[in-house]
Amino acid sequence: MTDRLRVPRVAGVVLLVALALALPVAVADRRFYAFIVGITFLHVLWTAGMNLLSGFTGLIPLMYAGLAGIGAYVTVNLVMSAGVSFWLAMPLGAVAAAVVGVVLGLPALRLRGFYFTLSSLVIQSALTLLFVYFPRFTQGDTGISQIPAPTVTLPGLGTAALTGVWFEETLAVAAMLAVLVVWRVTRSRWGAYLVAIREDDVLTEALGIDVTRFRVIAFFISSLLAGMGGAFYAHYVAFVSPRSFDVLTSLNIWLMVAFGGRGTIAGPIVGAVILAPIPYLLQDLYLYKDIIYGVLIVLVTVFLPAGVWGSLLPRLRARLGAAAPARVPGKEFV
Amino acid sequence: MTALLEARGLMKRFGGVWALRDVDLRQEATETLGMIGPNGSGKTTFINAVTGHLALDAGDVLLDGERVSGRPTHRIAQAGMVRTYQAVRVYGRFPVDENLRIASLPHYERVGRRQPLEGVEELLARLGLADKRQAPAGSLTLFEQRRLELAMRLLARPKLLMLDEPVAGLNPGEIREMIAVLKELRRTCALFVIEHTMKVIMELADRVIVLVSGEKIADGAPAAILKDDNVIRQYLGSVRAFRP
């Protein structure tokens, strides 16, 4: 049925991977652009995790940035205070974020849709306060600066800091892994269950599907990616403060997912690639940059309610003569 | 002999109102049970309680001799007791095929090997939905959606299907067809039917339970229930009731 899409899809993925790996090298001499590329990869990673919950499971976790913060602070403290290697600290930070994410996701077992979003907003505010009021671990509003770059030890070549183009390439790989994980999960039986839960959790449970279990799994994976992104962010930017992980960051990541097309794999990538660089590219237009950002979002919401990719995909399929997708993206703005 | 479904002393109260008051009930695997009663008499609460949608205040529910009360809904569904809802419930934005695929996955997962949609063509032919497989479920007529609902439940291979007003909202012609569908379905699994439409109960049920204010006031063959003075006075009503 979708055989006719196979070749264009594989070609597209190969092209995208090649582009992602080539881009940091292409702009390696201009650090400013290289940094924007790195930040964009980080947001691709974050949107993949956000999409698993907001796009596929139908729950908007506005504490997402807070979870990224937990991943970041745990990792940074392990590295800077305990001297643990980043490559051990980062997974630990991600797991810490995932565990906290599962616990904080428990209200979702009772609250649906908008009500869950509200409760997650409160949780995000509490996490932000937590970051401010535990300066022992976060240095409060001052923030932690001079976070060292991760080091890599290669046999025979000695130890070197992961900097410059190598860091961007690492972020590219991390982002691709995140997208791959979300793709695998959503194309599996679990993915079918998550979408079923999004559409009608009562019916799904009545069909004999363990709704609670799959919600928890979705929260775990999503929060794991949030924390992983947070750890990379901290060591890439070399500075974190509670502001880095406040509710605006959550909203921004969610916006990128909705902008690109929630509930699709490529949509959030499109959203991150278009929206993440804007604040940096438009720095000279600082008076208008928020207006431009806002207008762009309003235009897409009004004219492409399923997101840029979410709206183009059906047309693309029609042009290629493939059948309609089995899963229709949502009408409501999830 | 163990009954397929056995309810012992079911109790459920909402504030000061008894929704279920010491309800006992047995259903054999070979029979179709009907349940009738006025609005608010606790019929839907009964289904909610035995299928785990609602926690009981007291009482036990046994399915095939095994205690299932206290288990979560999905476990009870997996054990073989599956329900439908008074208001039709399908994944409206998904095609019929996707609805069926999701419904068949849990069973497929348990038994392995089988293809998720094995036997689905025959099932759809039986239910008259064979040419609707690509249509979004929400675009189907109510009658078609009700049949899709049945197809989805059957893919879970239930022992007992609890139907909450299966003909609600259907026109007389459709009701006749639905009765035929349900009659045929009795060969696949046991049915428990809540209905206000007496025609459905009279044609399908081997035995009828009458619930009034959460209490079971009668339990017997449909013909006997129709003549039961207590049932007539409390539920069915009769011209005789107005005579001195």
Side-chain angles (χ1 to χ4, degrees):
Chain A
M1 191 166 84
T2 47
D3 269 350
R4 301 180 68 166
L5 275 182
R6 197 181 166 81
V7 172
R9 186 184 289 140
V10 170
V13 169
V14 169
L15 203 70
L16 211 62
V17 169
L19 200 68
L21 292 174
L23 206 57
V25 178
V27 296
D29 297 338
R30 304 159 83 181
R31 282 310 301 158
F32 178 63
Y33 290 107
F35 178 75
I36 296 176
V37 169
I39 286 288
T40 305
F41 286 142
L42 270 172
H43 281 86
V44 169
L45 192 163
W46 268 331
T47 52
M50 169 67 87
N51 187 34
L52 188 65
L53 272 184
S54 79
F56 287 98
T57 319
L59 296 163
I60 301 172
L62 288 184
M63 73 280 209
Y64 196 76
L67 297 171
I70 289 172
Y73 284 124
V74 168
T75 307
V76 167
N77 275 289
L78 283 175
V79 170
M80 294 179 74
S81 306
V84 178
S85 156
F86 171 82
W87 304 107
L88 178 65
M90 185 267 289
L92 288 175
V95 169
V99 171
V100 174
V102 166
V103 173
L104 296 183
L106 292 180
L109 304 180
R110 293 261 163 193
L111 300 172
R112 308 276 116 89
F114 184 64
Y115 300 98
F116 171 74
T117 308
L118 271 184
S119 88
S120 74
L121 183 67
V122 174
I123 292 169
Q124 170 66 54
S125 312
L127 285 174
T128 303
L129 287 176
L130 211 68
F131 296 153
V132 174
Y133 287 114
F134 281 86
R136 210 182 133 213
F137 301 106
T138 66
Q139 297 188 18
D141 275 322
T142 319
I144 305 175
S145 49
Q146 292 179 320
I147 301 170
T151 53
V152 187
T153 307
L154 288 173
L157 290 171
T159 301
L162 185 70
T163 51
V165 69
W166 294 107
F167 209 144
E168 275 102 42
E169 292 290 356
T170 308
L171 294 177
V173 172
M176 284 189 257
L177 281 177
V179 173
L180 188 73
V181 164
V182 173
W183 177 77
R184 271 305 297 153
V185 168
T186 55
R187 287 296 172 272
S188 70
R189 207 169 298 159
W190 288 4
Y193 292 155
L194 291 183
V195 171
I197 293 168
R198 177 189 77 195
E199 293 294 309
D200 189 336
D201 52 349
V202 175
L203 170 61
T204 305
E205 178 134 50
L207 290 172
I209 296 162
D210 191 345
V211 169
T212 306
R213 182 171 145 227
F214 289 103
R215 275 218 177 100
V216 167
I217 289 174
F219 266 99
F220 187 88
I221 299 174
S222 176
S223 312
L224 193 77
L225 293 177
M228 192 175 142
F232 272 116
Y233 175 91
H235 287 264
Y236 184 59
V237 179
F239 172 77
V240 284
S241 79
R243 283 279 310 271
S244 318
F245 307 111
D246 65 5
V247 67
L248 288 176
T249 312
S250 295
L251 279 170
N252 238 341
I253 294 169
W254 169 71
L255 215 50
M256 288 174 195
V257 173
F259 186 91
R262 64 217 177 278
T264 65
I265 295 298
I269 302 177
V270 172
V273 166
I274 296 177
L275 293 184
I278 284 185
Y280 300 95
L281 291 179
L282 298 185
Q283 234 164 21
D284 295 340
L285 300 169
Y286 61 91
L287 279 177
Y288 311 103
K289 103 182 161 195
D290 287 345
I291 298 177
I292 296 172
Y293 200 85
V295 166
L296 205 59
I297 286 156
V298 169
L299 286 179
V300 167
T301 312
V302 171
F303 294 107
L304 302 169
V308 174
W309 180 254
S311 302
L312 286 180
L313 191 61
R315 287 174 216 179
L316 216 64
R317 280 174 193 276
R319 164 101 25 121
L320 289 164
R327 297 189 190 121
V328 194
K331 245 187 293 176
E332 72 273 7
F333 207 65
V334 182
Chain B
M1 202 189 109
T2 39
L4 176 62
L5 174 68
E6 188 172 355
R8 291 183 193 147
L10 301 193
M11 294 280 205
K12 180 72 197 177
R13 61 189 294 177
F14 297 113
V17 182
W18 285 101
L20 293 173
R21 196 166 192 173
D22 205 15
V23 175
D24 290 310
L25 177 156
R26 272 177 77 91
Q27 177 171 9
E28 307 301 332
T30 51
E31 64 178 349
T32 298
L33 218 58
M35 183 178 263
I36 59 175
N39 288 326
S41 61
K43 304 186 297 297
T44 298
T45 302
F46 177 80
I47 288 194
N48 283 341
V50 295
T51 55
H53 283 62
L54 208 61
L56 281 164
D57 294 335
D60 287 313
V61 179
L62 286 84
L63 184 67
D64 251 350
E66 205 180 323
R67 188 167 178 271
V68 294
S69 38
R71 288 196 201 168
T73 300
H74 70 272
R75 293 277 305 279
I76 296 179
Q78 285 170 6
M81 177 158 44
V82 179
R83 66 170 298 184
T84 64
Y85 294 87
Q86 214 166 318
V88 72
R89 255 195 144 113
V90 293
Y91 301 110
R93 296 191 307 192
F94 294 162
V96 167
D97 253 357
E98 182 68 5
N99 274 271
L100 296 168
R101 196 175 76 89
I102 293 170
S104 66
L105 280 176
H107 178 76
Y108 168 69
E109 198 168 18
R110 277 196 309 284
V111 299
R113 286 211 299 274
R114 261 184 235 259
Q115 284 302 305
L117 288 176
E118 194 192 41
V120 85
E121 291 196 4
E122 185 212 333
L123 181 65
L124 289 180
R126 261 167 79 187
L127 292 168
L129 290 170
D131 56 340
K132 301 282 181 190
R133 294 184 65 163
Q134 302 306 325
S139 73
L140 303 181
T141 66
L142 177 65
F143 186 31
E144 285 165 341
Q145 288 188 30
R146 287 230 180 261
R147 280 177 285 159
L148 171 60
E149 222 175 21
L150 292 178
M152 288 167 74
R153 297 312 186 279
L154 291 179
L155 287 170
R157 314 293 200 282
K159 294 175 193 162
L160 173 59
L161 190 52
M162 315 280 290
L163 303 167
D164 195 351
E165 301 198 17
V167 304
L170 302 186
N171 69 38
E174 291 168 343
I175 291 179
R176 271 196 300 279
E177 277 184 63
M178 189 56 129
I179 291 174
V181 167
L182 294 177
K183 271 185 178 166
E184 205 251 355
L185 222 135
R186 284 187 301 194
R187 293 192 286 124
T188 313
C189 64
L191 301 181
F192 181 101
V193 188
I194 290 182
E195 253 310 332
H196 281 295
T197 313
M198 284 310 289
K199 184 178 164 60
V200 177
I201 294 290
M202 297 305 290
E203 289 204 33
L204 282 174
D206 300 310
R207 197 152 57 83
V208 179
I209 313 280
V210 186
L211 221 55
V212 173
S213 305
E215 283 183 88
K216 188 168 97 170
I217 62 161
D219 182 342
I225 291 287
L226 278 187
K227 296 197 194 93
D228 188 305
D229 281 342
N230 203 13
V231 175
I232 291 170
R233 197 173 58 245
Q234 296 203 52
Y235 175 51
L236 293 173
S238 156
V239 277
R240 273 181 297 163
F242 296 102
R243 286 186 194 149

